[in-house]
């Protein structure tokens, strides 16, 4: 991370994402974000079975590999193809390397790297670059997007996902926050979770990085929890929730959780199907 880049939020730090309990609680090979990862690949590769040889795929801010492991299935019939998964959290990458070792996966590597500064990757190397709910957390996203562009081959394609303001967990947290603080605009999501929630800004940022044929797609998938308490327990392990809680006095944290539970019960009676719409920005070098 360059010294000039100021990290202000817990979810903009490797430590924030890297707590081992969080890694275990939040991510797995079958994490729900894999659904969005599939969309990213469908929109850029157009096929689920890659047969062309020597295809190189970069997964930036890979977490524990939601996209990378799905991509691995897609290159099974492609000779010499390769996936590089990167994340700035050592814990995330250690988790991935463990899976790779245990499953004896080939053609995939996981490395610690900040997505805004990937200097160890040469120019024009990858056919596809992705970031599933990763680049939205970059304090210097312009720098990150220029890096995505730099490491892509000519005519290579990229896809990035970003949460929309009407995604359920944002609505739930915003409601609870408003009950306690009054002014919902103070909720600390603007520069992270919601940083690309305006699709015109999203398109313009990708074009400024040099991408052409930029399109912003909208897709919806669902988070699924057995109970409202399970929803809360999931988010309590996440640095996004911690950023909001850090804004509240300790005495109000329990109240915040109570509002979350009440809003969920009233608005999402089926906790196995909580809708989470997002944008997917796609572009070509
Ligand atoms: C919400 S998780 C998404 C993980 C994964 N892409 C998925 O879809 O499941 C956000 C990830 O972004 C990573 N991240 C955030 N900022 C980063 C940065 N500047 N460089 C690399 N990784 C970053 C975090 O460590 C975390 O693993």
């Amino acid at each position: 991370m360059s010294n000039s880049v100021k990290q202000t939020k817990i979810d903009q730090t490797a430590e924030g994402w890297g707590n081992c309990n969080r890694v275990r609680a939040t991510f797995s090979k079958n994490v729900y974000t894999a659904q969005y990862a599939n969309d990213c690949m469908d929109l850029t590769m157009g096929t689920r079975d890659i047969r062309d040889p020597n295809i190189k795929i970069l997964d930036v801010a890979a977490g524990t590999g939601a996209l990378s492991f799905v991509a691995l299935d897609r290159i099974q019939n492609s000779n010499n193809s390769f996936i590089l998964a990167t994340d700035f959290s050592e814990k995330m990458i250690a988790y991935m390397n463990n899976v790779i070792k245990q499953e004896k996966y080939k053609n995939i590597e996981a490395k610690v790297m900040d997505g805004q500064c990937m200097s160890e990757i040469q120019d024009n190397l990858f056919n596809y670059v992705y970031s599933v709910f990763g680049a939205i957390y970059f304090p210097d996203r312009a720098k990150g997007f220029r890096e995505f562009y730099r490491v892509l081959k000519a005519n290579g394609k990229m896809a990035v996902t970003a949460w929309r303001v009407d995604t359920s967990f944002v609505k739930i947290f915003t409601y609870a926050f408003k009950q306690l603080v009054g002014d919902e605009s103070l909720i600390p999501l603007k520069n992270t979770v919601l940083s690309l929630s305006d699709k015109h800004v999203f398109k313009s940022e990708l074009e400024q990085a040099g991408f052409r044929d930029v399109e912003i797609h909208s897709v919806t998938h669902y988070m699924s929890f057995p109970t409202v308490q399970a929803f809360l327990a999931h988010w309590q392990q996440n640095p996004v929730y911690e950023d909001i809680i850090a804004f509240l006095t300790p005495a109000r944290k329990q109240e915040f959780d109570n509002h979350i539970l009440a809003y969920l019960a009233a608005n999402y009676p089926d906790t196995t199907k909580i809708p989470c719409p997002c944008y997917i920005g796609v572009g070509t070098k």
Side-chain angles (χ1 to χ4, degrees):
M1 169 67 56
S2 127
N3 288 335
S4 64
V5 174
K6 194 167 168 252
Q7 294 182 329
T8 50
K9 301 283 190 301
I10 302 165
D11 57 6
Q12 291 180 310
T13 65
E15 297 70 34
W17 286 103
N19 176 297
C20 205
N21 291 331
R22 263 182 221 134
V23 174
R24 283 200 212 100
T26 315
F27 301 103
S28 77
K29 265 182 79 176
N30 298 315
V31 64
Y32 74 94
T33 50
Q35 303 169 92
Y36 302 89
N38 256 316
D39 293 332
C40 288
M41 288 187 278
D42 287 348
L43 286 166
T44 46
M45 298 169 172
T47 169
R48 295 203 164 194
D49 180 15
I50 295 181
R51 287 170 184 266
D52 290 344
N54 301 311
I55 297 297
K56 293 187 174 55
I57 298 170
L58 175 64
D59 181 7
V60 180
T64 51
L67 184 133
S68 294
F69 290 122
V70 174
L72 193 59
D73 286 341
R74 293 188 182 218
I75 62 163
Q76 288 311 305
N77 295 315
S78 159
N79 289 334
N80 298 322
S81 285
F82 179 77
I83 295 157
L84 176 61
T86 63
D87 198 286
F88 70 176
S89 159
E90 287 181 15
K91 293 275 173 57
M92 295 288 183
I93 294 302
Y95 179 102
M96 271 199 82
N97 276 326
N98 213 16
V99 174
I100 291 168
K101 196 171 157 197
Q102 274 179 5
E103 302 290 330
K104 299 188 172 55
Y105 286 141
K106 302 266 184 290
N107 307 87
I108 182 166
E109 198 178 340
K111 278 190 173 179
V112 176
M113 219 179 278
D114 190 314
Q116 299 156 108
C117 181
M118 302 188 282
S119 45
E120 66 183 271
I121 300 180
Q122 67 189 74
D123 296 357
N124 308 314
L125 189 64
F126 289 95
N127 302 81
Y128 299 101
V129 173
Y130 300 105
S131 189
V132 179
F133 306 118
I136 52 174
Y137 298 100
F138 291 179
D140 192 346
R141 204 172 33 257
K143 190 174 175 200
F145 282 168
R146 284 197 300 274
E147 280 291 84
F148 291 13
Y149 187 87
R150 179 184 67 76
V151 301
L152 265 178
K153 289 178 196 275
N155 299 315
K157 290 182 189 278
M158 59 75 65
V160 168
T161 65
W163 293 117
R164 288 179 14 178
V165 285
D166 57 346
T167 206
S168 301
F169 74 86
V170 170
K171 282 163 64 177
I172 293 162
F173 291 154
T174 304
Y175 169 82
F177 186 87
K178 190 177 175 190
Q179 303 316 301
L180 300 181
V181 178
D183 185 354
E184 65 186 53
S185 74
L186 294 176
I187 192 167
L189 298 175
K190 268 196 212 84
N191 298 325
T192 54
V193 169
L194 295 178
S195 60
L196 290 173
S197 59
D198 178 328
K199 65 181 185 178
H200 303 292
V201 170
F202 196 174
K203 186 166 192 277
S204 148
E205 284 196 18
L206 291 177
E207 286 172 344
Q208 275 168 29
F211 292 103
R212 62 180 162 85
D213 303 330
V214 174
E215 289 174 358
I216 308 296
H217 299 264
S218 199
V219 303
T220 297
H221 292 290
Y222 298 84
M223 286 188 191
S224 180
F225 298 95
T227 60
V228 289
Q229 286 80 11
F231 172 94
L232 185 58
H234 167 91
W235 279 101
Q236 284 172 333
Q237 305 278 332
N238 190 294
V240 170
Y241 169 94
E242 277 193 34
D243 273 329
I244 302 172
I245 281 292
F247 200 91
L248 305 173
T249 58
R252 311 216 80 180
K253 289 178 183 171
Q254 186 58 50
E255 277 183 73
F256 182 71
D257 288 352
N258 291 343
H259 283 301
I260 288 176
L261 293 174
Y263 187 83
L264 262 169
N267 295 279
Y268 300 95
D270 182 0
T271 52
T272 64
K273 215 162 179 255
I274 300 180
C276 292
C278 85
Y279 289 129
I280 301 182
V282 175
T284 303
K285 179 167 176 179

